[in-house]
Amino acid sequence: MKQPILEVRKLQKSFGGLRALDGINLDIHEGEVVGLIGPNGAGKTALLNTVTGFYRATGGTILFQNQDITHRPMHEIGRLGIGRTFQNIRLFRRMTVLENALVAFRPFADHPLRSLIAYRERRMAIARAMHWLELLQLADKVDRIASSLSYGDARRLEIARALVGEPSLLLLDEPAAGMNENETRRLVDDIAIVRRHVRAIVLIEHDMDLIRSLSDRLVAMDYGRKIVEGASAEVLNHPEVLKAYLGTDTEETVS
Amino acid sequence: MLVGLLINGLVSGALYALVAVGFTLVIGVLDKLNFAHPEVLMIGGFVAVVASGLPPYYAFIAAFATGGLLGLVVEFAAFRRFTDADAKITAGLASMAVGLVLTDLTQKVFGTESVSLPIGGGWLSRRFQIAGVEFLNVQIVIVLATAILTGGLHVLLQRTRVGRQIRAVAESPVSASLLGVNVLRVSQAVFFVSSALAAEAGLLLALRSGAASSDIGLTFGLKALAIMAIGGLGDLRGAMLGGLVIGVLEAFMFHLGLGRLSELTVWLAMIVTLMVRPRGLFSSGTHGLEQRA
Amino acid sequence: MISDQLFFTGINVLLAWSVYIGLVTGSLSFAQGAFMAFGCYGAGVLTVKFGWPLLPACLVSAILSAMIAAVLGYPALRLRGVYLILVTIGITFCARVALENIDYVGGVGGFGGMRGADLNAVIVAVLIVGAFLLWFSFSPLQRICDAVREDDRVASSLAINVTFIRLLGFSAGAAIAAIAGALYGHYMNFVRPESFDVLLSIYVVLYVVLGGTNNMLGPLIGATLMTLLPEYFRVLAEWRPTVFGLAILAMLLFRPLGLLAFRLVTAHASVSAPRKSGSL
């Protein structure tokens, strides 16, 4: 079997006495969409935050495309090709839609001083940003201020922004949270398109329909550990998973 | 001689501590820096000028009241309305603006030159000896006043209802208000008390130096701000200890002819402390007010 | 004298811009007094003691000042908010006291003999710095700085080196303040360490707060108004700190983004780019 893109080994993260991640192992392979499920507080977002360098791991290792990124600063991890969105949408609210997408344009982000004189690349940057904005159906809103976007549009802009950075691995943290049924259906189509442009996607989601229709594989977490891993039907009906959900918050399974 | 230096140092240190405690009280409870604080100290000095003909305890009461009322004004003008995400910075800037106004108004009334107090040769500047060590009456007054004021603050915070409420807000303003604490009242109390202490320090400082001066806020007052940061933002014990340590250190530096470097030492110490141990030099985890990151 | 007033306006505009350029990357600096002092004394030593012409002395002191800012900023800019304000105030104090103790440049007594700066020099400096800031305002770098200022963690997840951007802003601000200091010293012919007091740093920051922190014109307006208006209205001159303080309070309450609050957009989709019409 080919080497995974992302290898998480015995990863630990604790805050004071609280263990958010308790020695978790995870492999993400080329071409996969992996759904990450589990009750609130299971450590899903903590895992994403530790992989992207948002949190500093207290133990274990993270290999991304064979490189150890465990203690690398965030921007270096971004440069190596991990992109992400946030559970609570974090756009640059005072910028326009287009500017939000442009911030992620790698030649500028990597060499900010050179961007002052890189006139030819400016047109290229706009073209790249427009490409992803069109793909996510935001092309007619490019000059709007980000804070004026509807919830669904804001979510999609966050994904578009991450994609402008041309990541190989895309981490989506509850992309459908707060969306209505219509918006969620559109999102499923969007992510289906997006997956052709990145090497792998990891998806945290509570909407079980969405996760079933998108993921090739599910990983269920609880108490900072992986409890079950496998095909979605298998994982969703696994007694451990049911117990984890029923034991905490039954709402989460509904949808 | 050594003892004399030590006493001199402790007397300055007590004054630093009085001002630093006020800074730290506001930042510990409300998480904001009060840049008008040094100017309240400065005005305390002019209370000494105004009250110079009266019996000394009138001056102490007047300084306490003036400082407290100014504290309420500062709270109203520069702190109350700023509650959004940037409030820490905004309130700091607003209190700087209030400081400018206070200084300007004081200078309009008393002029820009320092005003000397008619106490030369009076009771305060009389000396006496105990076991071969010479004391000035004013030194005793300063030490006693500081002890009474900080002791009073301790009792207020630990033994009274207001004190409990202040500590509750310091720990978490949200849960305190959920428990029915009136955060506005607490905030007013904190400003009243801290500013009253600053004005008393200004009064004592003027009594010791025999003059009141409108630039004392930017020199002595800001040095107390640095001392507060050395002691740890929001750390009452750190502010007290920091004040005394720096006071004594300065006295010895002056004695060794290094007086010109003492100010540099304080500010460098503050910079290094903030970079290396932002919680303060003396932080051990347990002190009067809870700290927030 | 009108040329005096214009000269000081120019100096204050440069200083306000030096604060602004740090603010663009999210760092509020009260260290401008220190960098101005460094520029003034640095360039002064080069012209007075080594006989350099003003222009190279100015540039060298600006570059050195930027380098010092980078060294100080590396540990200091990890601190945010109130802590950064305290540290930068500390830097201003340290610079002043240090200069008071260096006899080579006159210590407390002051340092004299610098000459050669006139109104034209400051006009040229304002034009050059202004043109640079305008160019910067429409560049991708402005956008990257805005991103760092608004949400540094998201910016770093987008491959932006936040530490580098912050150091860049702090150092560029230090360089501009140093130029202002050099010109000031060579205009006044004589300076004392206390000319670069913390009060100066406070005033400069408040110019920017008054004028606006969102675009390069705000600091220009703020500094110009606060320097020139008192010259024409006697009441203002007499009550300058009070009026200024009350104006700042009113501004923070009612117009927290300053007189000129707009933000310049750094990019528009070109007309030729394909656009989808329809849904909205």
Side-chain angles (χ1 to χ4, degrees):
Chain A
M1 193 168 186
K2 255 190 79 182
Q3 186 85 17
I5 299 183
L6 183 76
E7 293 171 68
V8 172
R9 290 284 168 272
K10 293 184 182 153
L11 192 63
Q12 290 190 349
K13 173 67 198 171
S14 42
F15 299 96
L18 205 78
R19 284 213 170 148
L21 296 177
D22 193 5
I24 191 167
N25 292 309
L26 183 70
D27 283 349
I28 306 293
H29 296 275
E30 177 90 41
E32 270 190 319
V33 175
V34 176
L36 210 53
I37 61 165
N40 282 330
K44 308 181 298 285
T45 299
L47 177 61
L48 251 58
N49 284 343
T50 316
V51 167
T52 51
F54 220 78
Y55 294 161
R56 230 186 133 70
T58 39
T61 53
I62 308 162
L63 293 183
F64 176 63
Q65 297 179 335
N66 274 327
Q67 285 192 62
D68 188 343
I69 58 164
T70 319
H71 296 296
R72 293 283 196 86
M74 275 176 80
H75 70 271
E76 282 183 21
I77 294 172
R79 282 179 192 178
L80 287 171
I82 299 184
R84 71 170 295 181
T85 66
F86 297 83
Q87 194 174 351
N88 48 335
I89 309 174
R90 287 170 84 163
L91 293 174
F92 303 115
R93 294 168 55 81
R94 305 179 325 140
M95 295 187 197
T96 65
V97 168
L98 178 63
E99 286 180 289
N100 261 280
L102 282 171
V103 168
F105 185 64
R106 283 292 299 282
F108 294 162
D110 292 0
H111 307 285
L113 271 181
R114 207 182 295 162
S115 80
L116 271 173
I117 48 168
Y119 280 96
R120 204 173 310 152
E121 275 169 311
R122 288 187 194 181
R123 218 178 303 150
M124 221 161 79
I126 292 180
R128 282 231 59 82
M130 288 303 293
H131 169 76
W132 293 112
L133 291 172
E134 271 163 38
L135 203 78
L136 288 157
Q137 302 144 56
L138 291 163
D140 51 346
K141 296 173 182 126
V142 286
D143 288 330
R144 294 253 303 261
I145 299 295
S147 58
S148 75
L149 290 182
S150 72
Y151 203 83
D153 285 343
R155 282 266 176 223
R156 282 206 303 280
L157 174 55
E158 224 191 4
I159 298 174
R161 182 178 67 185
L163 287 168
V164 173
E166 291 173 38
S168 2
L169 174 64
L170 182 62
L171 312 174
L172 301 174
D173 197 348
E174 295 193 32
M179 281 189 174
N180 60 34
E181 237 174 274
N182 248 330
E183 288 172 324
T184 309
R185 224 173 299 131
R186 257 172 95 182
L187 184 75
V188 173
D189 298 339
D190 291 338
I191 296 178
I193 300 170
V194 165
R195 70 175 297 177
R196 283 185 249 132
H197 298 272
V198 294
R199 291 178 65 187
I201 295 178
V202 175
L203 182 71
I204 295 181
E205 196 41 74
H206 286 306
D207 186 323
M208 290 306 155
D209 281 341
L210 184 139
I211 220 147
R212 230 184 314 241
S213 51
L214 282 176
S215 344
D216 308 312
R217 192 156 64 87
L218 283 192
V219 173
M221 286 179 71
D222 201 11
Y223 296 110
R225 263 170 296 191
K226 182 167 72 185
I227 47 177
V228 194
E229 173 173 21
S232 42
E234 186 187 321
V235 171
L236 288 175
N237 294 318
H238 195 282
E240 287 269 355
V241 175
L242 292 175
K243 203 178 82 189
Y245 271 103
L246 290 172
T248 49
D249 196 343
T250 43
E251 270 182 356
E252 308 289 357
T253 50
V254 183
S255 179
Chain B
M1 219 257 334
L2 218 59
V3 183
L5 271 181
L6 194 66
I7 289 164
N8 247 331
L10 286 175
V11 168
S12 318
L15 294 176
Y16 283 136
L18 266 187
V19 186
V21 160
F23 272 122
T24 223
L25 195 59
V26 172
I27 206 160
V29 178
L30 305 166
D31 218 10
K32 289 170 189 159
L33 254 179
N34 177 10
F35 281 102
H37 199 64
E39 305 312 338
V40 176
L41 160 89
M42 180 273 290
I43 289 174
F46 286 96
V47 171
V49 173
V50 172
S52 63
L54 304 168
Y57 50 89
Y58 279 123
F60 284 94
I61 294 167
F64 196 89
T66 311
L69 291 177
L70 282 174
L72 294 183
V73 171
V74 170
E75 192 274 338
F76 176 79
F79 287 84
R80 186 178 303 179
R81 293 192 190 73
F82 302 116
T83 48
D84 62 343
D86 295 328
K88 283 185 206 175
I89 303 291
T90 324
L93 294 170
S95 60
M96 283 179 190
V98 172
L100 289 180
V101 175
L102 290 180
T103 314
D104 193 30
L105 294 180
T106 309
Q107 289 180 343
K108 287 289 181 298
V109 178
F110 295 100
T112 50
E113 301 295 314
S114 68
V115 180
S116 56
L117 289 170
I119 52 162
W123 178 81
L124 281 171
S125 51
R126 242 171 254 158
R127 293 158 196 279
F128 63 96
Q129 284 199 341
I130 299 176
V133 184
E134 193 166 74
F135 294 94
L136 283 169
N137 277 340
V138 70
Q139 292 178 327
I140 306 299
V141 169
I142 289 175
V143 170
L144 273 181
T146 307
I148 292 170
L149 289 169
T150 50
L153 178 66
H154 182 80
V155 171
L156 175 83
L157 287 176
Q158 300 298 329
R159 299 283 157 79
T160 66
R161 214 171 76 94
V162 183
R164 272 197 302 279
Q165 293 185 338
I166 289 176
R167 283 183 291 138
V169 174
E171 215 161 296
S172 160
V174 178
S175 37
S177 72
L178 284 178
L179 291 170
V181 174
N182 184 338
V183 177
L184 172 63
R185 286 276 170 281
V186 165
S187 159
Q188 285 177 319
V190 164
F191 272 92
F192 186 95
V193 171
S194 67
S195 302
L197 293 187
E200 292 289 6
L203 174 82
L204 294 168
L205 192 62
L207 291 183
R208 192 181 64 159
S209 59
S213 150
S214 61
D215 60 13
I216 213 77
L218 285 177
T219 52
F220 192 93
L222 282 184
K223 210 192 279 178
L225 175 67
I227 290 169
M228 180 277 288
I230 291 172
L233 276 67
D235 185 342
L236 283 174
R237 231 184 38 187
M240 287 297 297
L241 210 57
L244 294 177
V245 169
I246 297 290
V248 172
L249 186 75
E250 273 195 334
F252 279 88
M253 285 185 82
F254 270 103
H255 179 67
L256 296 171
L258 299 170
R260 292 193 340 188
L261 290 178
S262 75
E263 211 181 347
L264 189 65
T265 312
V266 173
W267 286 102
L268 270 182
M270 182 203 77
I271 292 174
V272 173
T273 307
L274 286 182
M275 283 173 183
V276 181
R277 265 182 86 110
R279 300 196 124 225
L281 221 48
F282 315 108
S283 78
S284 56
T286 52
H287 29 72
L289 291 165
E290 213 51 45
Q291 250 184 319
R292 273 168 288 146
Chain C
M1 240 176 37
I2 182 77
S3 76
D4 269 357
Q5 294 158 17
L6 288 178
F7 182 86
F8 293 125
T9 306
I11 295 290
N12 283 336
V13 167
L14 287 176
L15 289 173
W17 273 339
S18 80
V19 169
Y20 167 73
I21 196 104
L23 257 182
V24 165
T25 60
S27 315
L28 180 58
S29 164
F30 287 86
Q32 266 18 49
F35 296 125
M36 188 185 177
F38 186 83
C40 177
Y41 276 81
V45 166
L46 290 176
T47 57
V48 175
K49 308 243 175 187
F50 294 92
W52 286 32
L54 178 60
L55 182 67
C58 226
L59 293 178
V60 167
S61 71
I63 290 168
L64 284 178
S65 181
M67 283 162 66
I68 291 176
V71 172
L72 290 173
Y74 190 73
L77 294 177
R78 278 179 311 168
L79 302 170
R80 312 298 311 153
V82 168
Y83 289 86
L84 185 62
I85 293 180
L86 284 171
V87 166
T88 51
I89 287 179
I91 290 174
T92 294
F93 263 102
C94 286
R96 200 201 76 205
V97 185
L99 284 174
E100 282 175 354
N101 284 288
I102 301 175
D103 294 330
Y104 181 67
V105 289
V108 189
F111 181 52
M114 305 86 93
R115 55 195 82 252
D118 54 9
L119 180 59
N120 291 333
V122 82
I123 290 176
V124 170
V126 166
L127 287 178
I128 290 175
V129 173
F132 171 79
L133 282 176
L134 196 65
W135 179 46
F136 163 80
S137 294
F138 294 103
S139 74
L141 184 57
Q142 165 86 52
R143 197 158 57 224
I144 288 170
C145 293
D146 285 344
V148 170
R149 179 183 182 180
E150 195 172 333
D151 194 334
D152 53 349
R153 301 192 116 189
V154 174
S156 35
S157 86
L158 298 173
I160 292 166
N161 186 345
V162 169
T163 315
F164 174 74
I165 295 291
R166 285 210 176 115
L167 280 178
L168 202 63
F170 194 60
S171 303
I176 296 173
I179 290 174
L183 292 175
Y184 175 79
H186 288 77
Y187 186 80
M188 301 298 286
N189 310 131
F190 181 81
V191 292
R192 289 171 194 274
E194 69 189 32
S195 317
F196 308 102
D197 205 357
V198 70
L199 198 58
L200 175 86
S201 299
I202 291 177
Y203 264 98
V204 174
V205 166
L206 294 183
Y207 293 150
V208 181
V209 172
L210 187 81
T213 56
N214 262 349
N215 59 70
M216 60 157 295
L217 293 175
L220 175 79
I221 296 291
T224 307
L225 281 182
M226 287 323 298
T227 324
L228 279 187
L229 276 189
E231 303 296 339
Y232 295 99
F233 297 95
R234 269 205 61 209
V235 189
L236 278 184
E238 230 167 274
W239 294 87
R240 186 162 180 252
T242 300
V243 172
F244 187 37
L246 293 178
I248 293 290
L249 281 179
M251 194 59 72
L252 288 172
L253 272 179
F254 302 115
R255 248 185 111 79
L257 293 175
L259 281 174
L260 295 179
F262 61 87
R263 174 182 174 275
L264 297 165
V265 174
T266 58
H268 294 278
S270 57
V271 190
S272 57
R275 282 209 204 184
K276 269 187 188 167
S277 56
S279 70
L280 194 150

